[in-house]
Amino acid sequence: MDIKEIVKEENLVYKKSMVLTDKEMHYCPGCTHGVVHKLIAEVIDEMGIQEKTIGVAPVGCAVFAYDYLHIDWQEAAHGRAPAVATGVKRLLPDKMVFSYQGDGDLAAIGTAETIHACNRGENIVMVFINNGIYGMTGGQMAPTTLKGMKASTCPFGREPQQDGNPLKITELLAQLPGTSYVTRHSCHTAAAVRKTKKALRKAFENQQQKKGTSLVEVVSTCSSGWKMTPAKANDWMVENMFPFYPLGDLKDE
Amino acid sequence: MKELKLMKGNEAIAEAAIRCGTDGYFGYPITPQSEIMETLMAQQPWNTTGMVVLQAESEVASINMVYGGAGCGKKVMTSSSSPGVSLMQEGLSYMAGCELPCVVVNVVRGGPGLGTIQPAQSDYFQSVKGGGHGDYKLITLAPASVQEMADFVELAFELAFKYRNPALILSDGVIGQMMEKVELQPQQPRMTEEELIEKYGSWATTGKTADRERNIITSVELASEEMEAFNYKLQAKYKAVEENEVRYENYMCDDAEYLLVAYGSSARICQKSVEIAREKGIKAGLLRPITLFPFPTKPIQDIAKHVKGILSVEMSAGQMVEDVKLAVNGSVSVEHFGRFGGIIPSPDEVVKALESNFIEG
Ligand SMILES: Cc1ncc(C[n+]2csc(CCOP(=O)(O)OP(=O)(O)O)c2C)c(N)n1
């Protein structure tokens, strides 16, 4: 059969969201960032909030997130996205505001801003990509690097006496009265991707309902930083990351 | 309606901020400027003008909240004192890099470190030479009275928006804490989004509507050629600021043989010193820079032509004196007199320093 006979409007089962730009993503093969970008774009699209949404990008691999979603963006300093998002939402309370951060950004350099934005219950969505490593700077240890896991600044594996312990920041944030929805997902299978999208949608709907802070963590792979093939990285994540960072809702009020 | 009130410099900042239609204030307490946020919180302007006031968890957070609000095209400000302003330097560098307008008030105290809560002027370098990383400047205004504390809030916003750059009100513990009579402007309404766009253009993140391209607030540029081109653009902007925005005041300079250069509370002291010197038969004059960046280089050069010596008087170990020297470029002798660490010099001390440097021996 000729390709032209297949590519027809009535055969359409899926198309790229209009909220995604045509810019080719700079992410490595197997990286979770691109998938989550796509999900956020679809949620914005389906909710019809493109003209109202302002994204706050981090410093980290997602520093250029603004190249990929067709909305207004602010690019924050490393770790400061929750403070920047606070400023945006407080000044423009009718807009939809989300921050997007890696683990170093959200749980190391920006821990104070993260905890206090959540504790104030800023009415924003926080998207947290936890790949257990510093992707952008070349694979250094992150606050969420697992015990024994290798990184360029713990080349023999994270050893708590020397390097401290991995931080379950999401569990901590779920304790705070300002958070209304705290949930952990991943994107390693089609079913997991669908669940992550549902969670993101719920988080944005919470913001419409002025429920306070919604935080969606996505346990992610970093095949370059982990030095594995994308397929191997997925398996490694299931085996090693999920036991320490179990998937599911931590809080839903 | 204009209103005459007796108030502290810090309170005047807060009152003026509400009255000139500021959209938001984010801050963290520190002496000697805590009255600014206290006054705002007591006024509850969110009930009247709709102004947002929020106590942040740190100065790092407050400057980044300012960044977020400023990126939305709003008139947003913060205030702090020296150690807190040090914490804001990364944010200010980002704001200069993103070309975001905002107003920052520094009610300076003595340092380094935690230092003292007493007044000082030892943050001059940090204020006018950039402060954070990268080649940038803050438009810096130096109030010398409670009236100027009030008036400079609106002026700082005007300049910040005109040039899309952070503006700093560099005050000190004397001006912040002392009480003076001040005439407050009548309440202005906050600008609407449409008015802001009309006046300053539509660069802010207010939600991408179908009728315009996306607005992106960012300072990252990995291509060196692009980054250099952007830096040239910034430098051209600072040159325009230097050409158009110099503000200063002369006091008895016409026939002066000796010139004092002082800003802020030091200028108030030096005014008295000029009078004492003149009573003694020494023809002294005072040039008070009102803008520290842009620095009144040309006016100082002009006066330098007819004076025998210039004394830079600062509550620091000698910072502004370097800019005075650069201005006159060796054409006349320039010396520094300062007390620091929280000590305020007396007018007599200044006269003595003038005599010992230029007249005796
Ligand atoms: C103040 C500051 N310190 C350090 C850096 C360098 N830096 C950039 S990204 C990053 C860590 C990124 O890791 P993460 O937040 O986990 O995101 P990922 O790249 O893995 O997505 C660091 C340390 C910086 N840009 N700014």
Side-chain angles (χ1 to χ4, degrees):
Chain A
M1 202 170 15
D2 189 59
I3 184 90
K4 284 201 184 103
E5 286 167 46
I6 303 168
V7 183
K8 281 186 194 154
E9 190 68 32
E10 60 264 33
N11 289 337
L12 186 70
V13 285
Y14 178 84
K15 69 174 183 191
K16 181 173 139 294
S17 161
M18 293 304 288
V19 176
L20 276 178
T21 66
D22 289 331
K23 177 117 181 170
E24 206 173 297
M25 289 191 183
H26 70 283
Y27 298 115
C28 308
C31 175
T32 314
H33 276 303
V35 182
V36 180
H37 286 13
K38 186 197 78 158
L39 297 180
I40 296 171
E42 288 176 358
V43 167
I44 291 172
D45 206 354
E46 287 159 23
M47 288 176 73
I49 53 172
Q50 182 180 13
E51 296 202 348
K52 293 185 71 169
T53 304
I54 297 157
V56 181
V59 176
C61 283
V63 65
F64 294 121
Y66 59 74
D67 276 341
Y68 308 127
L69 263 66
H70 215 64
I71 53 169
D72 279 358
W73 282 95
Q74 295 197 21
E75 200 286 301
H78 192 23
R80 315 305 170 207
V84 171
T86 297
V88 175
K89 186 70 183 181
R90 292 270 176 158
L91 271 299
L92 297 176
D94 297 333
K95 307 288 167 169
M96 298 291 276
V97 181
F98 73 96
S99 61
Y100 184 106
Q101 300 177 268
D103 41 67
D105 202 79
L106 180 138
I109 195 166
T111 312
E113 287 79 6
T114 300
I115 289 179
H116 285 279
C118 287
N119 198 46
R120 283 191 303 268
E122 294 298 336
N123 190 29
I124 56 174
V125 174
M126 294 174 69
V127 182
F128 169 29
I129 305 298
N130 177 9
N131 57 13
I133 204 152
Y134 284 6
M136 188 196 210
T137 38
Q140 294 83 7
M141 184 180 74
T144 50
T145 299
L146 299 172
K147 276 186 209 171
M149 183 176 167
K150 285 181 182 157
S152 70
T153 49
C154 53
F156 307 105
R158 183 176 200 155
E159 202 278 294
Q161 287 251 342
Q162 156 69 22
D163 306 310
N165 293 287
L167 177 59
K168 292 191 181 189
I169 186 96
T170 305
E171 274 77 355
L172 202 151
L173 298 174
Q175 304 299 311
L176 304 175
T179 51
S180 70
Y181 179 46
V182 179
T183 189
R184 186 185 280 130
H185 293 270
S186 91
C187 288
H188 64 304
T189 62
V193 170
R194 278 195 294 276
K195 277 191 193 162
T196 304
K197 181 171 168 183
K198 255 177 106 174
L200 288 165
R201 168 103 191 203
K202 180 169 181 162
F204 277 90
E205 284 171 355
N206 282 350
Q207 187 173 159
Q208 279 179 329
Q209 292 156 27
K210 300 189 168 55
K211 281 191 162 181
T213 315
S214 295
L215 182 121
V216 181
E217 173 181 340
V218 183
V219 182
S220 301
T221 56
C222 176
S223 36
S224 299
W226 295 1
K227 304 199 185 336
M228 293 172 198
T229 62
K232 177 89 203 323
N234 260 349
D235 295 342
W236 193 90
M237 175 174 71
V238 174
E239 247 167 69
N240 298 278
M241 296 281 276
F242 290 177
F244 193 74
Y245 301 114
L247 306 187
D249 288 350
L250 287 95
K251 184 179 194 176
D252 183 10
E253 286 176 350
Chain B
M1 212 182 55
K2 286 193 178 182
E3 218 179 317
L4 209 57
K5 277 194 172 175
L6 181 71
M7 54 177 24
K8 280 189 179 190
N10 288 336
E11 294 164 347
I13 291 266
E15 282 287 345
I18 299 171
R19 284 168 187 252
C20 79
T22 302
D23 295 306
Y25 171 96
F26 301 93
Y28 187 82
I30 183 170
T31 308
Q33 64 78 55
S34 294
E35 295 87 353
I36 298 176
M37 187 166 38
E38 286 168 353
T39 305
L40 286 171
M41 289 293 190
Q43 298 277 354
Q44 300 186 299
W46 49 90
N47 288 330
T48 51
T49 70
M51 177 182 177
V52 168
V53 187
L54 183 65
Q55 178 167 337
E57 62 271 26
S58 70
E59 292 85 353
V60 174
S62 45
I63 193 66
N64 283 285
M65 291 171 182
V66 167
Y67 179 107
C72 299
K74 298 290 184 179
K75 285 170 75 172
V76 191
M77 65 182 290
T78 183
S79 67
S80 187
S81 180
S82 310
V85 177
S86 290
L87 276 183
M88 293 184 189
Q89 294 304 321
E90 183 202 36
L92 285 168
S93 167
Y94 270 71
M95 292 189 81
C98 294
E99 301 201 82
L100 290 181
C102 73
V103 173
V104 178
V105 182
N106 184 359
V107 182
V108 180
R109 55 192 250 178
L114 191 54
T116 168
I117 58 170
Q118 302 302 326
Q121 294 180 313
S122 40
D123 297 354
Y124 177 90
F125 282 151
Q126 185 195 58
S127 310
V128 307
K129 305 290 179 189
H133 58 287
D135 274 321
Y136 74 93
K137 304 275 190 184
L138 303 178
I139 298 166
T140 306
L141 299 169
S145 64
V146 175
Q147 184 66 55
E148 284 189 340
M149 287 287 258
D151 295 345
F152 286 4
V153 177
E154 190 173 5
L155 175 62
F157 270 122
E158 258 178 49
L159 294 171
F161 273 85
K162 182 172 172 190
Y163 294 98
R164 282 187 58 190
N165 198 73
L168 177 74
I169 296 177
L170 186 68
S171 181
D172 63 63
V174 177
I175 308 287
Q177 290 298 326
M178 74 182 181
M179 292 185 89
E180 282 186 320
K181 189 177 68 179
V182 52
E183 191 179 293
L184 294 167
Q185 294 300 310
Q187 180 66 52
Q188 291 173 33
R190 288 166 52 230
M191 282 173 102
T192 63
E193 206 174 299
E194 293 71 39
E195 286 167 338
L196 270 160
I197 290 173
E198 168 107 15
K199 193 159 178 203
Y200 301 113
S202 78
W203 49 265
T205 60
T206 49
K208 187 228 166 296
T209 44
D211 57 351
R212 68 156 165 84
E213 282 303 299
R214 284 129 33 83
N215 286 335
I216 293 163
I217 304 296
T218 183
S219 58
V220 63
E221 179 51 72
L222 296 184
S224 304
E225 290 77 14
E226 299 286 328
M227 197 62 213
E228 188 182 46
F230 174 70
N231 267 278
Y232 274 124
K233 182 183 166 206
L234 276 188
Q235 292 308 313
K237 175 163 87 177
Y238 299 136
K239 198 153 173 34
V241 172
E242 284 178 319
E243 274 159 16
N244 302 321
E245 307 301 345
V246 170
R247 286 167 173 79
Y248 64 99
E249 198 176 66
N250 282 346
Y251 180 63
M252 301 197 146
C253 285
D254 288 350
D255 64 340
E257 292 179 351
Y258 300 95
L259 179 69
L260 301 177
V261 181
Y263 69 94
S265 51
S266 289
R268 295 288 288 270
I269 295 160
C270 285
Q271 218 171 322
K272 185 77 189 161
S273 306
V274 166
E275 285 158 21
I276 297 170
R278 290 207 170 235
E279 275 164 29
K280 288 179 141 186
I282 305 166
K283 284 189 178 167
L286 167 67
L287 185 142
R288 172 171 83 91
I290 294 172
T291 51
L292 295 172
F293 176 79
F295 193 67
T297 302
K298 180 82 176 36
I300 291 175
Q301 281 169 353
D302 290 343
I303 298 172
K305 287 179 192 144
H306 63 78
V307 297
K308 296 175 188 163
I310 302 180
L311 189 67
S312 176
V313 181
E314 314 161 55
M315 294 193 292
S316 80
Q319 300 191 16
M320 182 180 67
V321 63
E322 293 191 4
D323 286 334
V324 179
K325 281 186 177 170
L326 280 172
V328 305
N329 198 17
S331 66
V332 61
S333 152
V334 177
E335 299 294 341
H336 162 260
F337 174 70
R339 296 295 303 268
F340 33 98
I343 305 271
I344 303 164
S346 74
D348 285 318
E349 270 181 286
V350 174
V351 176
K352 244 185 228 150
L354 187 65
E355 288 174 322
S356 66
N357 274 297
F358 298 116
I359 297 164
E360 289 158 10

